[in-house]
Amino acid sequence: MRSTSAEATADLHCHSSASGPNGNWWYAQFGLADCMTPPDEVYGRAKQAGMTFVTLTDHDSIDGALELAQHPDFIIGEEVTVCFADNGARIDVVVLGLDERQHGEIQARRDDAFALVRYLRTQRLVHFLAHPIYDPANALEPEHLARLGALFPLWETRNGARLAEANALAERLHPDLERHRFLAAEHGIEPGAPRPARIGGSDDHGGTDVGTTYTVTPPAASRDEFLDHLRAGRCRAAGLHANPARMTHMVMRLLDRHGGPAEQRRVEAWCELGAGGVTHREVARLAEAFAVSADEDDDEIRLPFADPSGVGRQLTGVRRYLRGQAKLLPYLAVQAYLARERQGARELARRMAVASTRVPLRVALLADGLTSTNGVAETYREILPQLDGSVTVTPIVCGQLDGIAGVVVARAETLAIPIYADLDLPLPHLSEVAERVFDLDADLVHVTGPGPFGLAGLAVAKLLRLPLVASYHTELGDYARLLTGDPLLAELVHAATARFYGAADVVIAPSQTVAERLPRLLGIDPGRVVVAPQAVDCDRFSPAHRERPPSTRDEVIVLCVARLSREKSIDCLIEAIRRLARPDVRLVMVGDGPARGELERLAGRQATFTGWLRGGALARAFASADVFGLPSATETCGQVLLEAQASGLPCVVSPTGAAREVIMPGQSGLVAANDSAAAIADCLRTLVGDPEQRAAMGRAARANAQTRSWRASAQALADAYRLAADRPPAAQQREPLAALA
């Protein structure tokens, strides 16, 4: 219940099936009514929501209100569309407590706002300006708002069909008593109520949100006493603002009423919403679950050939997923509409000279694999806590994050990658991802690659008109070539990758080598490429963590930490160890992946495979080794190389890719002459056979790692965000408009 003995409440802006045309172009083209909720249903919903008094404010009509006039707690009202005589600008004015004669007089004055207001005041009719800054044409100017301030001391500053930011701006622009009197005198009209006040109304058109946004006054024993409170400005606005799910359901409910019998479970949802049994967000989640639920036509695709990798099953899942997302298009359409409204409110704030750049810059991060063990996830676990207060980054993921605060969305489907047998990628609902980004009020979207979450981030950025930042972490074309041996597939992956990164406003490279390659490799404009170098925590990874049992002190341990997959070229490192032919050299492999079984068989007794290690166990593994080897030719940075150097290990790396950029060749490590096992073996032989050189390089490696701080990397990342958002440095920013709410 909204009412108490200490207050009276009423939803002062709601519609019924008796409403006249609202002027919406789309409604007119499709012959849609403004609202299809019967007047008696609106009355019942309002009372169920706990309203003390009820009104209908149909567009330029009181027919529905007259049907309810017998109720002692009902107030006849209407929403009048009126123009300014000199320029034709339209506004909406809600009038309360009128009768049929006054309705006729009001309609006769719709073409002159000043004449209408003078008439309303002579009749002592309560009236207020509805949704003051609703501006589809983006044409409101200071002079227009000055007129509104002169004419109307009562403004609807909380409209349930408008966003919180738009309502906050209306509240900010609402003139105080002194300003209202000044503007009224300037425009030659008597001031209105004894004091300006703020009105709340749901602006409900679907029948599900009546009474969720409302106006509160002191106690009122009758509707006349309630209207007296409004005339005197003894009132305030309360209740909910618009959100994407709420607006989507209003439109869908309206369309359901137009189109005859609706799906039973949807009707049940509308009833539950109207009764307050569920929230709009809960209904949206149910809609998403139903959208991808198995239908009777979901038989597995029949292929005219064998399907050993389950590609047919994957195609069935993708088909079901895409069909489900198509069913959710109404959510996406409304989110796009509201994003445009949000931008319009901010543009109006700038024109009214009340805007200010928001602090902090808000970033939605959509990174595939962020909940797994991999270099990308580790990078963001380290770098995000180092960002200063001028930037906040919120990851959006399926599953639980380790060490990072984020937002969890539902998994709609799971996509298995045939060439990565142990890698399953969650497919999120695009509507839920967009809703979360919208709720975050993000200034930009950051993606880390063209996986399901990266593609969702790209789509949401375009949908909500947000800048897109894309990090380049993986040589996908090279991976496809190495994993399949198929040049056509590699070329297709390369082309898709180029299209993906070509859509970004800023592309972040983890190394200078990658930054220089991207324009040639993917056709990226060099001016859109920035470097945010990788770093390492030199306390977490340090020689101080060294632990060697007595049985291994005479051994030379060559360590490799990597995903055990073909593109990492671990087989080359195993062959290099074999070529050394030294029983005192042992290879330790930290990691896991689809090639582990094959590599274990290849290495035999020459290597120890530990699986993935984390935390202190990983730090001890690094510090307890003597040399680090990484033969991969596809590294875009090589985070593990920094961790190895911080642990005091000289490194042996491939001459291809960005790995050589991470070390100091000849000082903190050695670069193989080529990508052969023989070349890797030559480098290892040098370090294994010369303990003094190995120790000297280990010290240089530690010193090199200490120049790479996560704080500096975080600053580079923040600068890339500001570049994408076209923001000045934090020192030049002011109080955010959002703080006005």
Side-chain angles (χ1 to χ4, degrees):
M1 296 288 286
R2 308 294 186 195
S3 302
T4 71
S5 59
E7 62 185 19
T9 57
D11 179 349
L12 295 182
H13 191 169
C14 52
H15 300 271
S16 79
S17 54
S19 191
N22 69 356
N24 182 284
W25 185 87
W26 289 102
Y27 278 44
Q29 300 311 302
F30 289 103
L32 298 176
D34 181 61
C35 178
M36 294 289 288
T37 313
D40 59 345
E41 183 178 328
V42 176
Y43 180 86
R45 295 285 190 196
K47 298 307 291 184
Q48 189 175 30
M51 298 295 101
T52 313
F53 298 97
V54 182
T55 187
L56 281 182
T57 56
D58 288 328
H59 286 284
D60 300 305
S61 171
I62 61 170
D63 292 346
L66 292 175
E67 295 180 23
L68 302 174
Q70 75 278 9
H71 294 286
D73 56 358
F74 183 79
I75 300 168
I76 297 176
E78 72 173 312
E79 182 177 2
V80 184
T81 302
V82 60
C83 300
F84 285 99
D86 57 346
N87 61 18
R90 286 177 43 184
I91 58 173
D92 289 306
V93 180
V94 171
V95 183
L96 301 172
L98 68 161
D99 56 29
E100 290 184 84
R101 179 190 61 79
Q102 291 167 326
H103 166 68
E105 295 289 343
I106 288 169
Q107 290 298 305
R109 292 168 172 79
R110 285 179 51 195
D111 59 352
D112 188 339
F114 280 90
L116 173 64
V117 169
R118 289 189 180 98
Y119 173 76
L120 295 176
R121 290 183 181 172
T122 61
Q123 297 293 303
R124 295 195 73 247
L125 288 172
V126 173
H127 56 283
F128 62 84
L129 177 64
H131 38 68
I133 67 164
Y134 178 55
D135 182 23
N138 201 28
L140 282 177
E141 296 294 341
E143 169 56 26
H144 190 121
L145 281 173
R147 290 183 176 192
L148 300 180
L151 290 170
F152 302 102
L154 299 181
W155 281 26
E156 184 185 37
T157 59
R158 185 164 300 207
N159 179 292
R162 305 270 75 83
L163 294 171
E165 186 166 353
N167 286 334
L169 179 59
E171 189 169 331
R172 174 77 177 270
L173 295 173
H174 182 216
D176 59 18
L177 179 59
E178 182 179 352
R179 178 68 175 163
H180 168 65
R181 288 175 174 172
F182 170 80
L183 292 172
E186 192 174 62
H187 287 83
I189 191 169
E190 289 294 319
R195 61 180 181 183
R198 294 159 181 174
I199 301 294
S202 67
D203 202 358
D204 178 82
H205 291 251
T208 58
D209 291 300
V210 178
T212 57
T213 311
Y214 50 96
T215 303
V216 181
T217 73
S222 67
R223 57 190 174 193
D224 289 337
E225 187 177 356
F226 181 77
L227 291 172
D228 283 341
H229 286 317
L230 297 179
R231 289 189 190 93
R234 296 188 295 268
C235 57
R236 61 179 175 85
L240 304 177
H241 307 278
N243 62 57
R246 179 177 183 175
M247 296 300 293
T248 301
H249 296 152
M250 184 179 78
V251 173
M252 292 174 67
R253 180 56 171 150
L254 179 58
L255 294 176
D256 275 350
R257 289 183 186 271
H258 272 281
E263 197 172 289
Q264 181 60 34
R265 61 189 179 197
R266 217 162 53 225
V267 173
E268 292 171 358
W270 305 147
C271 293
E272 285 292 308
L273 275 171
V278 294
T279 67
H280 283 284
R281 176 162 288 177
E282 289 168 339
V283 171
R285 300 294 81 81
L286 284 172
E288 289 159 353
F290 284 130
V292 296
S293 61
D295 292 329
E296 59 184 16
D297 65 336
D298 271 339
D299 296 330
E300 185 173 317
I301 297 174
R302 291 183 174 86
L303 300 175
F305 43 79
D307 184 24
S309 298
V311 173
R313 289 191 298 276
Q314 293 304 310
L315 291 176
T316 298
V318 170
R319 183 184 65 167
R320 181 169 57 245
Y321 173 77
L322 293 176
R323 187 174 60 240
Q325 299 314 294
K327 293 177 183 177
L328 299 169
L329 283 176
Y331 288 98
L332 300 175
V334 170
Q335 287 158 354
Y337 169 80
L338 291 178
R340 181 177 179 275
E341 178 179 307
R342 178 180 276 170
Q343 287 185 335
R346 291 175 183 172
E347 176 58 33
L348 176 61
R350 285 190 286 272
R351 292 203 302 273
M352 298 301 117
V354 298
S356 55
T357 303
R358 300 183 311 150
V359 178
L361 189 68
R362 301 173 189 175
V363 180
L365 172 63
L366 288 110
D368 292 280
L370 204 58
T371 59
S372 305
T373 300
N374 56 67
V376 174
E378 186 61 31
T379 292
Y380 290 104
R381 288 189 192 102
E382 292 285 354
I383 201 170
L384 295 186
Q386 298 297 326
L387 290 166
D388 61 29
S390 67
V391 176
T392 61
V393 178
T394 303
I396 299 176
V397 298
C398 286
Q400 295 302 313
L401 287 165
D402 180 16
I404 314 174
V407 172
V408 177
V409 297
R411 178 190 297 251
E413 284 283 348
T414 298
L415 179 65
I417 308 298
I419 59 176
Y420 254 85
D422 66 337
L423 182 62
D424 291 334
L425 296 177
L427 299 174
H429 289 292
L430 187 58
S431 56
E432 186 178 11
V433 172
E435 179 186 280
R436 299 303 190 187
V437 173
F438 193 96
D439 288 347
L440 290 171
D441 196 7
D443 296 289
L444 59 90
V445 174
H446 180 184
V447 296
T448 61
F453 267 86
L455 292 172
L458 169 61
V460 167
K462 300 307 178 185
L463 183 79
L464 302 183
R465 303 184 181 191
L466 297 174
L468 181 69
V469 172
S471 295
Y472 189 84
H473 291 285
T474 308
E475 303 279 16
L476 292 173
D478 288 346
Y479 274 31
R481 176 177 52 80
L482 290 168
L483 290 169
T484 68
D486 187 331
L488 176 59
L489 179 61
E491 189 58 35
L492 290 173
V493 170
H494 173 81
T497 303
R499 291 292 298 272
F500 177 82
Y501 284 99
D505 298 282
V506 169
V507 178
I508 298 176
S511 64
Q512 190 61 41
T513 300
V514 172
E516 292 170 358
R517 286 190 65 210
L518 284 175
R520 301 192 306 272
L521 183 69
L522 301 180
I524 306 297
D525 178 0
R528 294 193 291 117
V529 179
V530 299
V531 177
Q534 298 290 102
V536 65
D537 184 339
C538 288
D539 292 326
R540 179 183 171 192
F541 295 97
S542 166
H545 301 307
R546 186 175 179 87
E547 290 183 2
R548 289 281 287 270
S551 61
T552 64
R553 286 175 184 169
D554 293 331
E555 289 184 331
V556 177
I557 295 179
V558 177
L559 176 70
C560 181
V561 179
R563 177 174 171 77
L564 303 185
S565 186
R566 190 176 301 171
E567 77 277 1
K568 295 297 184 180
S569 302
I570 306 302
D571 56 341
C572 183
L573 181 59
I574 292 173
E575 176 59 25
I577 295 292
R578 179 178 289 116
R579 284 172 175 266
L580 287 181
R582 290 188 53 155
D584 61 335
V585 175
R586 182 163 59 94
L587 175 64
V588 174
M589 287 299 316
V590 175
D592 212 335
R596 178 170 177 173
E598 177 186 345
L599 293 172
E600 285 183 322
R601 287 190 296 272
L602 181 64
R605 306 175 81 177
Q606 289 182 296
T608 300
F609 288 75
T610 70
W612 287 116
L613 298 178
R614 295 175 178 82
L618 179 61
R620 287 190 295 273
F622 271 111
S624 300
D626 301 291
V627 178
F628 188 83
L630 186 67
S632 171
T634 60
E635 296 302 307
T636 56
C637 171
Q639 178 64 34
V640 290
L641 292 170
L642 289 172
E643 294 166 355
Q645 290 178 94
S647 303
L649 301 186
C651 299
V652 175
V653 301
S654 163
T656 308
R660 63 180 298 152
E661 183 182 325
V662 181
I663 70 170
M664 297 186 296
Q667 298 179 58
S668 71
L670 299 176
V671 180
N674 53 59
D675 286 321
S676 68
I680 297 291
D682 287 342
C683 293
L684 290 175
R685 188 174 292 110
T686 298
L687 294 174
V688 168
D690 190 342
E692 291 186 4
Q693 182 182 12
R694 193 166 70 232
M697 281 192 167
R699 291 190 293 271
R702 172 75 177 170
N704 182 40
Q706 288 173 324
T707 67
R708 301 286 198 110
S709 76
W710 283 116
R711 181 61 59 86
S713 295
Q715 184 59 53
L717 180 63
D719 289 343
Y721 289 153
R722 279 189 280 269
L723 176 64
D726 195 23
R727 283 284 189 87
Q732 301 177 29
Q733 298 174 8
R734 298 176 181 273
E735 179 189 14
L737 178 63
L740 301 173

